[in-house]
Amino acid sequence: MAERRIKNGMRDGWGLRVTSVAMLVGAGLAAWWQGPIDAPEPEPTEQTRETKVRDVDAAAFTSAQVGDCLTWDIADDGAVSNFTVVGCDEEHRYEVADRVDLRNVEEWVGQFDEDAPEPDQDTLLQLRDWVCQDPVLEYMDGKLDPMGRFVPAPILPPSKSWADGDRTMLCGLQPTAPDGTPAQATGRAAEQDQANVVQVGECVALDDSGGLQPIECAEPHLLEAVGLVDLRATFPDRTPTIEEQNEHLNQACVAAAEEYLGGNEALYQSTLLPFWMTISPESYDAGTHSVNCWLMKDNGYGGFSSLAGSAKGPFTINGEPKVDPPPRNPLREDGAPQPQQTAPGAGAPTGSVDGQNATGY
């Protein structure tokens, strides 16, 4: 690893301390994950988006079985239509894990007899967390990363069917984007990488819940994605330790940043730093195997500077044009580089902090 750093004009990687690890791992996306509930119902603390099947789509809802994949159209006002069963190898919005008769759920969850009104948003959250969680986990053979892109979600029958006494609820998996909004997937969830990642070239900021939200790079942001690394390519038959991930990603993310910007000198001149986040062993075992490589700028106080504009073009740091770094020492004639100067604002070598890393140069 030391040879790689020298070859790329790198010094030892330095850890980046941030105010809250939860800011970066998207704490809001994991709020649905709760352990066994023995106490009375807590007050729901988050909102959920309801997939409201229209009455004309009742036949598709009724025919949906465990293992089926579903899709639907969403209008600008959020209205759902054309609810239908599709092949799981096609793009879809949902995978059915169970069909639940709500008349059989425990009374402390709720009572859904013939006269019961349709569940409201708070009740849907309770049904998601307390009724759908176990069958979804069983469907996935226990391998579901609560920090990943697939989340348990309930779907209720159409209003007319509910009024006619249908108390069937579908429990299943809904793919989400990094900011937690519903997305689409191709292929069965159990066969996919559950990593919540973005495409190379996308930028992310923090949303109101502290999660990562994709945003136009022209807008203020914290990170710009320069690579996507599937750790299974390097660790095909075992779960890598955090130290092993850091050692591999230190090389992979520097290389990705150089390729993204056009070489080592371009990376140095940008004054930005390669950055990555590791995967916990629990998440890796549950099905999350990929991480993004990012570019970021530390603020000199253990946090992030605000960037605006892509690193590939003109950009600002905290609203100001970047300051060019000092000239680097020339290479020796024998090809071995001289010790390199550090770009302004780079932190002191400290190692890894909380599974997050940035590499200075």
Side-chain angles (χ1 to χ4, degrees):
M1 183 170 63
E3 292 179 355
R4 170 68 178 179
R5 290 198 184 104
I6 293 172
K7 181 179 178 181
N8 287 286
M10 302 294 296
R11 62 181 174 83
D12 285 346
W14 56 277
L16 180 69
R17 296 183 181 274
V18 295
T19 303
S20 171
V21 175
M23 290 197 314
L24 284 174
V25 298
L29 304 185
W32 64 268
W33 188 266
Q34 302 178 18
I37 303 291
D38 296 321
E41 334 178 347
E43 290 294 325
T45 57
E46 63 169 301
Q47 297 298 313
T48 188
R49 295 173 177 80
E50 179 182 1
T51 297
K52 186 70 174 178
V53 181
R54 300 200 319 175
D55 293 333
V56 294
D57 297 322
F61 175 89
T62 302
S63 65
Q65 301 298 315
V66 173
D68 283 344
C69 290
L70 313 175
T71 194
W72 50 83
D73 295 332
I74 303 178
D76 292 340
D77 62 358
V80 172
S81 62
N82 297 327
F83 184 92
T84 185
V85 177
V86 297
C88 290
D89 58 346
E90 300 178 44
E91 199 169 61
H92 58 270
R93 300 181 183 273
Y94 192 85
E95 184 173 343
V96 182
D98 197 14
R99 292 174 60 92
V100 176
D101 188 337
L102 289 175
R103 292 170 296 189
N104 298 329
V105 302
E106 298 181 27
E107 290 187 2
W108 66 268
V109 176
Q111 293 183 316
F112 304 97
D113 53 29
E114 292 183 358
D115 299 325
E118 292 185 71
D120 57 17
Q121 291 290 313
D122 288 347
T123 304
L124 276 174
L125 285 169
Q126 295 164 5
L127 291 171
R128 178 196 65 181
D129 294 337
W130 301 339
V131 178
C132 285
Q133 177 179 315
D134 286 346
V136 165
L137 284 174
E138 183 177 355
Y139 178 78
M140 293 287 286
D141 290 329
K143 293 186 179 298
L144 180 64
D145 183 5
M147 303 302 298
R149 66 189 184 105
F150 294 101
V151 299
I155 297 180
L156 296 173
S159 296
K160 184 177 185 305
S161 299
W162 183 276
D164 290 340
D166 186 354
R167 295 297 180 265
T168 303
M169 179 179 70
L170 302 181
C171 288
L173 293 147
Q174 185 172 56
T176 63
D179 61 354
T181 58
Q184 299 184 68
T186 303
R188 294 192 177 278
E191 300 169 356
Q192 297 189 54
D193 193 331
Q194 296 181 35
N196 231 323
V197 292
V198 302
Q199 296 301 309
V200 172
E202 289 192 79
C203 295
V204 297
L206 293 181
D207 62 21
D208 293 339
S209 66
L212 294 180
Q213 177 182 15
I215 192 171
E216 293 292 333
C217 290
E219 300 297 321
H221 60 272
L222 301 182
L223 303 168
E224 181 172 350
V226 299
L228 182 61
V229 180
D230 186 346
L231 291 171
R232 287 174 299 182
T234 304
F235 308 97
D237 53 4
R238 64 184 178 87
T239 300
T241 65
I242 298 300
E243 291 75 16
E244 289 174 325
Q245 292 181 50
N246 278 328
E247 182 172 355
H248 175 64
L249 292 169
N250 181 75
Q251 301 179 42
C253 288
V254 169
E258 291 178 352
E259 180 179 358
Y260 184 76
L261 292 180
N264 175 257
E265 182 63 21
L267 174 57
Y268 179 79
Q269 292 297 327
S270 75
T271 75
L272 302 178
L273 303 178
F275 178 81
W276 63 89
M277 289 168 274
T278 54
I279 304 171
S280 71
E282 295 78 13
S283 289
Y284 197 93
D285 290 340
T288 290
H289 303 123
S290 296
V291 299
N292 278 119
C293 295
W294 309 93
L295 283 173
M296 55 77 67
K297 180 68 175 179
D298 71 295
N299 63 7
Y301 301 97
F304 295 85
S305 294
S306 176
L307 305 173
S310 171
K312 285 188 171 184
F315 65 92
T316 60
I317 302 172
N318 294 330
E320 300 292 334
K322 73 175 179 67
V323 177
D324 290 336
R328 296 200 287 183
N329 292 331
L331 298 181
R332 292 174 180 169
E333 292 183 1
D334 61 6
Q338 297 276 14
Q340 303 296 331
Q341 299 181 29
T342 302
T350 59
S352 174
V353 177
D354 295 326
Q356 304 174 44
N357 279 269
T359 301
Y361 47 90

